[in-house]
């Protein structure tokens, strides 16, 4: 069969991007925006399709660098009826009295990046900012071009050479627009508006406990692919002990094409033919000698997918994950999750959402040093770098969408947006063996409309992926009459639909108990399912030492960890934990002047990585449990 020596040269780029924003565009005539195709209705009418997978395997120009920006708190850059505005038009200097902006002299900031950490005045800003970058291109016949955004937070509109390409809602998942017919040879103007404001209608809504980093927070690329290209693939170990493959081609020759899938080091090559939609499936028995992926031995294989015109490689691990009764099984062996929760915020005195490989390695490296075999990537899909590194480092992953606290559960539109977030999360990461749990929400109120909403999300996840578990972090129990004060009953009706009952508990911090009274907390469950503590914790300022019953001290936090570890013995069906949280993180709802000053202090390390006493408590516990040793049958 034809192989994939199909050639790096194929991937050599024929596009070139301007290294920096070069400025100086001649005066452009003023075109009424109504005639330019940029009308307000168009903004809400556009939507994106799920983006292609695995950018690393593609021919692309990384558009990272300094982009010009304009802060637009009144959203004047969007055409308002009857007004001559519109930053999308890449005008140069002009004397027109109604056009009071000039891209070429506007300030610059780094993309990818959040504006909060880069521009002092924008530290707490929530609203609209416009960005512009010049992109030089040399489009080749027979090739297709896409502008791909790995994420921008929250509501993004993208314009190329003044035309709206589309709009994307959601701050943490990738999206792209095809620009094959719009990309000019020479210089192009790429203008992007990003609005980070949250409302009762957004996901999350207005109240959430982390810094709302705004901006084009993850990389933007101009991707070149063949006319018919490999849009996506999914290679995994299925339940029946077979390796299963799905491939999707996009382009005029997508139907009836042969695709080859190979795992050279296992001597496997198979072929499949695409259907009318460009989709092909293959399934083959698990090859002899296949080493399963698990934390102690995170084996990854080079996998290649090739079609007539395209080929792409990835590193993929194979494992199974299941729940049977109250236990979780990885590769058929009982598994306890020894984890830690992590926000997407880099270590450092000036916190940022921008995550490069070094920043991601630093966070996951701390999780490994703790002895974790598991990380909860809270509260939204993190940069793709995280699950890719987790694959390499042997960390199991929980990945979630930002349905957080109370959102507009009544709204069809909100449901649609949440479904899109799930689809985009799964599409991007389904080849990552490390991800074992898709979670649809965090701490939502118990009410029917919520349960119906989340059940639809869960059904959507299950329809797409039967090789992972589904959960949702819960915190409430429906109280029974006469229930003892310190009794926690895992009985949220949502529990019926998830695989793992995950509970966030803050006894000893938000409730009336002190850490010394946590021994009084008792547990019951109505579900024959595994229970994990998806959060617990206490705020502590690094370096503040005091009596263990003094709030905000490291000693108080350490005692809480000891008591919660002890409490796990009283939790029925106990299957693991991901305490809250690895690192102190920025949050605008943390007002305590002395101890918080805008930081949630529940980290077991502070923002620069200094470890608190609780780190040692957790590390000792995990090491005593042989948390990273090979699993036993
Ligand atoms: C929670 C939330 C988490 C908060 C944490 C806290 O229950 O899930 O997002 O940051 O509590 O520190 O209060």
């Amino acid at each position: 069969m034809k192989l994939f020596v199909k050639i790096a040269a194929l991937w050599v780029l024929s596009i070139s991007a301007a290294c920096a924003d070069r400025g100086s565009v001649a005066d452009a005539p003023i075109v009424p925006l109504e005639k330019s195709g940029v009308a307000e209705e168009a903004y809400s009418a556009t939507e994106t399709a799920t983006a292609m997978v695995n950018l690393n395997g593609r021919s692309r120009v990384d558009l990272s660098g300094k982009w010009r920006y304009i802060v637009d708190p009144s959203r004047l850059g969007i055409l308002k009826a009857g007004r001559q505005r519109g930053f999308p038009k890449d005008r140069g200097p002009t004397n027109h009295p109604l056009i009071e902006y000039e891209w070429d002299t506007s300030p610059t900031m780094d993309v990818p990046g959040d504006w909060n950490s880069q521009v002092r005045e924008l530290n707490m800003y929530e609203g609209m900012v416009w960005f512009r970058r010049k992109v030089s291109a040399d489009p080749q016949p027979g090739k297709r071009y896409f502008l791909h955004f790995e994420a921008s937070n929250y509501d993004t509109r993208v314009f190329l050479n003044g035309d709206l390409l589309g709009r994307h809602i959601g701050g943490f998942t990738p999206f792209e627009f095809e620009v094959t017919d719009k990309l000019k040879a020479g210089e192009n103007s790429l203008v992007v508006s990003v609005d980070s404001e949250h409302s009762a209608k957004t996901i999350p809504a207005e109240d959430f406990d982390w810094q709302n980093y705004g901006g084009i927070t993850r990389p933007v690329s101009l991707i070149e692919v063949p006319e018919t290209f490999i849009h996506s693939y999914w290679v995994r170990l299925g339940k029946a002990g077979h390796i299963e493959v799905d491939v999707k081609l996009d382009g005029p020759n997508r139907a009836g094409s042969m695709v080859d899938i190979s795992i050279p080091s296992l001597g496997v090559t198979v072929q499949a033919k695409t259907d009318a939609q460009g989709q092909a499936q293959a399934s083959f028995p698990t090859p002899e000698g296949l080493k399963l992926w698990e934390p102690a031995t995170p084996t990854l294989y080079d996998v290649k997918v090739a079609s007539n015109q395209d080929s792409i490689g990835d590193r993929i691990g194979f494992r199974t994950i299941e729940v049977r009764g109250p236990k979780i099984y990885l590769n058929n062996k009982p598994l306890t999750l020894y984890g830690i929760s992590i926000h997407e915020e880099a270590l450092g005195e000036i916190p940022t959402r921008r995550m490069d490989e070094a920043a991601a390695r630093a966070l996951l490296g701390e999780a490994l040093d703790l002895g974790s075999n598991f990380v909860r990537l809270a509260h939204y899909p993190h940069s793709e770098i995280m699950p890719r590194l987790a694959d390499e480092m042997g960390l199991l992953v929980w990945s979630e969408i930002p349905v957080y606290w109370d959102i507009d559960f009544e709204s069809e539109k909100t449901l649609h947006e949440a479904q899109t977030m799930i689809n985009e999360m799964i599409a991007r990461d389904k080849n990552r063996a490390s991800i074992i749990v898709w979670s649809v929400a965090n701490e939502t109120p118990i009410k029917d409309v919520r349960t119906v909403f989340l059940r639809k999300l869960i059904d959507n996840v299950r329809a797409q992926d039967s090789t992972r578990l589904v959960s949702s972090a819960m915190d409430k129990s429906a109280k029974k009459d006469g229930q003892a004060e310190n009794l926690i009953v895992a009985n949220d009706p949502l529990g019926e639909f998830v695989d793992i009952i995950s509970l966030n508990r803050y006894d000893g911090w938000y409730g009336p108990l002190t850490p010394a009274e946590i021994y009084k907390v008792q547990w019951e469950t109505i579900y024959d399912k595994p229970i994990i503590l998806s959060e617990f914790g206490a705020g502590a300022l690094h370096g503040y030492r005091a009596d263990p019953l003094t709030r905000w001290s490291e000693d108080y936090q350490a005692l809480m960890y000891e008591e919660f570890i002890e409490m796990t013995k009283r939790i029925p069906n106990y299957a693991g934990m991901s305490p809250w949280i690895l690192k102190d993180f920025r949050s605008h709802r943390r007002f305590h002047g002395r101890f918080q000053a805008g930081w949630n202090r529940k980290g077991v390390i502070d923002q620069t990585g200094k470890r608190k006493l609780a780190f040692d408590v957790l590390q000792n516990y995990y090491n005593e449990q042989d948390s990273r040793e090979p699993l036993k049958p």
Side-chain angles (χ1 to χ4, degrees), residues 208-210 343 376 378-379 400 404-405 442-443 473-475 504-506 509-510 534-539 580-581 585 587 589-590 596 600-602:
F208 51 95
D209 185 27
W210 66 86
H343 258 297
R376 175 178 177 206
H379 278 304
E400 72 190 68
Y404 182 93
W405 293 349
N442 179 72
E443 290 189 359
M474 301 170 243
D475 63 332
N504 297 350
R505 295 301 314 178
Y506 284 92
W509 184 252
Y510 292 125
S534 36
E535 289 181 25
F536 68 85
W580 196 250
I581 184 172
F585 61 95
S587 169
R589 68 200 306 286
R590 301 295 165 180
Q596 294 179 304
N600 183 316
R601 291 286 180 207
K602 295 191 189 73

Side-chain angles (χ1 to χ4, degrees), residues 165-183:
L165 298 176
R167 178 178 181 182
H168 181 263
I169 305 284
F172 304 96
T173 43
F175 56 96
E176 68 192 10
F177 303 103
E178 179 157 15
V179 293
T180 310
D181 299 333
K182 299 186 175 81
L183 196 65

Side-chain angles (χ1 to χ4, degrees), residues 254-377:
R254 64 181 184 275
S257 263
M258 294 310 291
V259 290
D260 302 337
I261 301 101
S262 71
I263 311 175
S265 65
L266 292 171
V268 171
T269 49
V270 289
Q271 287 202 317
K273 194 171 183 185
T274 57
D275 63 15
Q277 280 73 46
Q279 296 180 354
Q281 279 88 37
S283 169
F284 53 92
T286 309
E288 235 173 83
L290 176 80
K291 294 201 183 83
L292 296 182
W293 187 101
E294 67 170 68
T297 51
T299 313
L300 299 176
Y301 289 92
D302 280 322
V303 173
K304 304 215 165 149
V305 181
S307 64
N308 283 341
Q309 290 184 28
D310 200 7
S311 84
I312 192 160
D314 206 339
R315 306 255 308 143
I316 295 179
F318 299 96
R319 54 103 192 102
T320 58
I321 186 84
E322 274 168 285
V323 159
R324 276 181 248 139
K327 281 200 179 317
I328 307 173
Y329 294 85
L330 181 69
N331 301 330
N332 265 323
K333 293 180 279 189
L335 169 73
T336 305
L337 300 171
Y338 299 108
I340 189 78
S341 299
I342 303 181
H343 258 297
E344 186 174 40
E345 190 179 83
L347 279 158
E349 209 49 84
I350 301 181
T352 166
R353 173 64 47 74
R354 181 191 171 124
M355 198 51 63
D356 55 19
E357 189 176 324
R361 260 186 206 284
L363 288 175
L364 293 180
E366 286 296 315
L368 271 190
D369 279 2
L370 257 183
S372 308
N373 62 13
F374 171 60
V375 286
R376 175 178 177 206
L377 300 184

Side-chain angles (χ1 to χ4, degrees), residues 401-420:
I401 59 160
V403 170
Y404 182 93
W405 293 349
D406 210 1
I407 64 162
D408 189 358
F409 292 111
E410 318 246 346
S411 153
E412 277 298 316
K413 183 163 175 281
T414 307
L415 176 65
H416 174 73
E417 287 171 2
Q419 301 274 29
T420 304

Side-chain angles (χ1 to χ4, degrees), residues 44-224:
S44 45
T46 46
E47 281 208 8
T48 54
T50 306
M52 68 180 83
V53 302
N54 188 8
L55 296 207
N56 291 339
R58 315 265 178 188
S59 240
R60 62 175 170 142
V61 176
D62 181 354
L63 299 178
S64 299
K66 297 281 180 205
W67 292 40
R68 302 228 174 246
Y69 71 90
I70 294 174
V71 184
D72 183 14
S74 311
R75 300 183 174 84
L76 294 176
I78 296 181
L79 176 71
K80 297 277 192 308
R83 285 211 205 137
Q84 284 275 13
R85 306 270 185 187
F87 297 157
K89 285 285 146 194
D90 192 1
R91 293 201 180 82
T94 168
N95 291 324
H96 192 291
L98 288 178
I99 306 297
E100 297 184 20
Y101 74 94
E102 185 179 71
W103 274 118
D104 294 337
T105 53
S106 292
T108 62
M109 73 165 93
D110 279 323
V111 170
D114 56 83
W115 59 62
N116 314 68
S117 63
Q118 296 191 67
V119 184
R120 184 186 286 268
E121 300 75 42
L122 298 184
N123 183 263
M124 301 280 273
Y125 179 72
E126 299 196 333
M128 183 174 274
V129 174
W130 291 80
F131 295 86
R132 188 202 67 182
R133 195 207 201 274
K134 301 265 185 77
V135 180
S136 341
D138 180 17
Q140 299 299 302
K143 301 284 185 194
R144 292 169 67 190
Y145 296 88
F146 290 81
L147 274 168
H148 181 104
F149 291 72
E150 290 178 46
S152 71
N153 186 27
Y154 172 79
D155 179 355
T156 305
R157 294 160 170 113
V158 181
F159 303 84
L160 188 67
N161 301 323
D163 290 336
L164 177 71
L165 298 176
R167 178 178 181 182
H168 181 263
I169 305 284
F172 304 96
T173 43
F175 56 96
E176 68 192 10
F177 303 103
E178 179 157 15
V179 293
T180 310
D181 299 333
K182 299 186 175 81
L183 196 65
K184 295 190 302 205
E187 196 165 80
N188 293 266
S189 164
L190 172 59
V191 172
V192 180
S193 71
V194 183
D195 194 335
S196 69
E197 191 170 289
H198 283 261
S199 71
K201 302 276 174 207
T202 57
I203 306 173
E206 278 154 329
D207 190 13
F208 51 95
D209 185 27
W210 66 86
Q211 166 93 46
N212 183 23
Y213 287 109
I216 306 176
T217 48
R218 296 186 192 149
V220 183
S221 304
L222 177 61
I223 303 176
E224 183 191 77

